[in-house]
Amino acid sequence: MSAPRPARLAAPAVLADGRGLSGGMLRQLFIGQCMVLALHLAWMPAWLVALALAVAGYRLVQLRRRLPRAGILLRLAAVGGLVLALWLQFGTLGTMDGLVGLLLGVYLLKLLETHDRRDARVVVVIGLVTTAVAFLHDQGIPMAAGALLAVAWLLQSLVWLSGATGLRQAWRETAWLLALSAPLMAVLFVAFPRLGPLWSMPQMDRASTGLTDEISPGDIAELSRSDARAFRARFEGREPAPDERYWRVYTLSHFDGIRWSRATPDQLAVALERPGDAFVREGSRSPWQAQDGARFSAELLLEPDSRPWRPSLGTPLESDSRQRYLADGTLEGLTPLSSRSLLRLSSSGAPPVNPDPAGERWHRLLPDDTNPRTRTLAERLWRESGGDPDAYLEAMMARFGEAPYRYTLSPPRLVGEHRVDDFLFDSQAGYCTYYASAAAVMARMAGIPARVVAGFLGGERHPDGHFTIRDYDAHAWVEVWREGAWRRLDPTAVIAPERIEQGPQAVDGGAETFLADARFSPLRMREVGWVNHLRLEWERLEYRWQRGVIGYQRESRRSLMAQLVGWWREVWARLDALLPGRGAMTTALGLMAMLVVAAGLVLLARRGWQHHRRQRDERWLVGSLQAWLARHGLAAHAGESPAAHLRRIAPQAGPAGRALEECARDLERLAYAPLEEAERRQRRRRLSHRVAEVRRRLPRQRRGPSGAGA
């Protein structure tokens, strides 16, 4: 029979001198760098990959040809080049992307001067920090899974640096460390929700949706090309019907003849010489609306955005946190969102009922010398309606529903000075902004206060009940002031009712434009049953992750604690009802439980004190270690001293051999050397650590009950 093949071990972590790193350890560190870099590549420049390969290649050539180490000039030049490249990439190093890129670059360049175990540990620690920083970009499930793999690899590198001799042992100890940390992680997660400042790094100009606070005909049509997610919503109680899902974001009241734009409260206060609080108030309730008009209560999961807008289904009424309530019926946050955030909001589902403090005259303003053909049409319709505003608006809306007007996702481009004229009389084809802009202009030409509202319409309902609103759901409509309240007019509902009921994908002739910028979007395969099912399941899982894990805040912690307390009270009440005597028995059980707990605490304190005193006795420490070794087949010989015993078995103990040698040396120093009290305490503490290391590192085959493995 042939001899059994020896177990295959990985390359040693360190070279023969005990300090210099081998090629195997450098490869281990480089793989860790690649895993960490992969977490950032979706947001960081791709040339960082070339930097990582260049540094690793240089170290490989240096190791094989035994070249001298990288000098100070080379390292300074590398850092200077990194800073210059990042400055050219981002324009500044003051943004989050610039700072993260600098951290990544320094992490990669650190391999140039990594030559011993201390340097390698620094590389691993920087890698752990850089892994945590990746969550500033994204906190989804793929990022969490990738970060877990990177952390496991980095911890394995630390185990190699601590003296692991085999791949199996390294991964076993890594798994043990992760398993030990999991309960603590769960407790910290439940007891200490994520801190706001840690996750509020400035995102600068990063926006989650293309919706802006100024539009001209055709702008929103571009959003139909994108499937980017704007926000998600879950309703408590009644859900809105498709024709009720008007999510208002911006109120656009200024028209320059081409574009509709939003006048901010500060701009209105200056232009109209009014105090700022006449247009905006901070709080958790709207001061402009009656709170008894709430029809919908929703929990919104908002995407990160550099702008402070907050969507609301109709007019916002009340929120679970302080917000900025604007008099025009829109809502703003106090700060932009740097990460996904939850907002609970109740709303009316209808336009505002309060008059705008800017006044009716502000909402009638139009440039005098624009769109003359539209003005002539408005005058004719006004005469035909007998000067009745309601009849005029009805005639205006009916005109949009007549041929040859048509609704399209790819309308002809308008570039002239009189764009409303060009649309109404020449192209007669457009998207929601075309019709909303024309309707608002015609209303103002008749002296009716009007404004354009930009937001979203619709949203995809998932089987678990939550709605996803995306870029292609962007929409614009009109509000006119009639009989003491704002009234919604949506020309799209007249000319393309399928857009209201089914979304922009249902518009005739829009297949080529819809999702044109998202060629590989799974939404393109909604007609394939199993693909659509997988997509919905993944979005459901991701929504629950974002809402339950990432969105875990103080309110969630209070709710969880309240549930636990309620569960305990329910169990206690049932136990009290089942036991005879009830009150007396409950008191007796309570006293007994208190006595048991007190006795257990006293016993634990006594054992802890005894253990603490024994840890200060080197003879007890070594004696307990020798007894433990004897139970595992490594007993002392007759007349053999403890130090000699430990030195004799060290060569047989595998990875625990070095710790046994150090135990013997520390024991002799404590027994015979004239040590100061401070050094003696340090030696005892070190001896205790080495004893624990021996118990942990002794090879598994020696741990049989009879010591047969020896």
Side-chain angles (χ1 to χ4, degrees), residues 10-68:
V14 294
L15 295 177
D17 61 3
R19 290 184 57 83
L21 299 181
S22 69
M25 193 64 229
L26 289 173
R27 182 171 61 250
Q28 180 90 6
L29 296 176
F30 174 67
I31 294 175
Q33 287 183 331
C34 292
M35 296 178 72
V36 174
L37 181 59
L39 301 176
H40 294 265
L41 274 185
W43 300 271
M44 290 290 103
W47 52 260
L48 286 173
V49 177
L51 176 64
L53 293 174
V55 172
Y58 177 85
R59 287 307 314 272
L60 177 64
V61 173
Q62 180 191 46
L63 186 65
R64 288 186 174 179
R65 299 185 180 181
R66 301 187 179 277
L67 299 177

Side-chain angles (χ1 to χ4, degrees), residues 36 39-40 126-138 147 151 199:
V36 174
L39 301 176
H40 294 265
I126 298 177
L128 292 171
V129 174
T130 310
T131 301
V133 168
F135 286 102
L136 295 176
H137 295 300
D138 180 61
V151 167
W199 302 103

